[in-house]
Amino acid sequence: MINVPNEGDDVTQLPGRLVHVERMKMRWADMDALGHMNNTVYFRCLEQARISWFDGLGIDYADRTQAPILGSVSCRFRIPVVYPADLAISLYAGRPRNSSFALSSAITDEKDPARVYATGEAVMVWIDLRDGKSRPLPDWLRQRLQGLQQ
């Protein structure tokens, strides 16, 4: 379980090591009837940051034999994102477990990182795509994640 910092706390207190920052602009269509970013869009931002990091690792989704899938995801909404907004989604990788690892994240204002819109956590599970069962993390990924902890 992630210890979510209180508003104004430093997001560098999130568990794990910083592995990726994704920058995005809030789109006009991302707003809901209340005039702020719809709660579903936060999850899309977190998803895009994860996928961009996986792309950078060279994970081949065309392989169709083994890949990471989302085991669980949570988001703590802190303050509303109001249009226009330039966002930075920071991703922190945790220690590898047998077949999974946690990714903590923060959605902040790109120009003012102390302005934290949301924090979240995703548990990624490595599975065999043919039978849908978890498998041990591949050695290359485990070594990469362990190297982040040093």
Side-chain angles (χ1 to χ4, degrees):
M1 178 105 140
I2 173 176
N3 291 326
V4 179
N6 295 318
E7 187 171 342
D9 285 350
D10 185 356
V11 295
T12 60
Q13 297 304 308
L14 291 175
R17 296 280 299 263
L18 181 65
V19 293
H20 181 73
V21 177
E22 185 83 8
R23 289 172 171 65
M24 299 179 190
K25 288 189 172 294
M26 180 186 177
R27 301 170 304 175
W28 179 260
D30 292 339
M31 284 189 292
D32 62 15
L34 300 175
H36 53 73
M37 194 161 83
N38 185 280
N39 62 320
T40 62
V41 177
Y42 290 78
F43 288 95
R44 290 286 187 193
C45 292
L46 298 172
E47 174 186 59
Q48 186 58 56
R50 287 191 309 271
I51 296 302
S52 292
W53 181 58
F54 290 151
D55 287 347
L57 291 175
I59 291 176
D60 182 7
Y61 293 97
D63 176 22
R64 303 272 187 225
T65 56
Q66 292 189 357
I69 64 163
L70 191 60
S72 66
V73 65
S74 65
C75 183
R76 178 170 179 206
F77 306 102
R78 302 171 146 290
I79 56 175
V81 179
V82 179
Y83 185 87
D86 294 318
L87 308 174
I89 298 88
S90 301
L91 204 57
Y92 299 81
R95 294 186 184 282
R97 297 177 221 152
N98 181 45
S99 60
S100 65
F101 61 95
L103 290 172
S104 300
S105 52
I107 301 175
T108 61
D109 185 291
E110 184 178 23
K111 294 173 186 76
D112 180 9
R115 187 170 179 80
V116 181
Y117 296 117
T119 53
E121 182 180 65
V123 175
M124 303 307 303
V125 180
W126 196 265
I127 68 160
D128 185 310
L129 294 170
R130 295 166 293 206
D131 64 15
K133 296 186 191 253
S134 66
R135 295 289 183 261
L137 293 174
D139 289 338
W140 67 266
L141 180 56
R142 179 174 302 284
Q143 290 169 0
R144 182 92 178 240
L145 292 169
Q146 286 172 335
L148 294 170
Q149 306 309 311
Q150 298 170 1

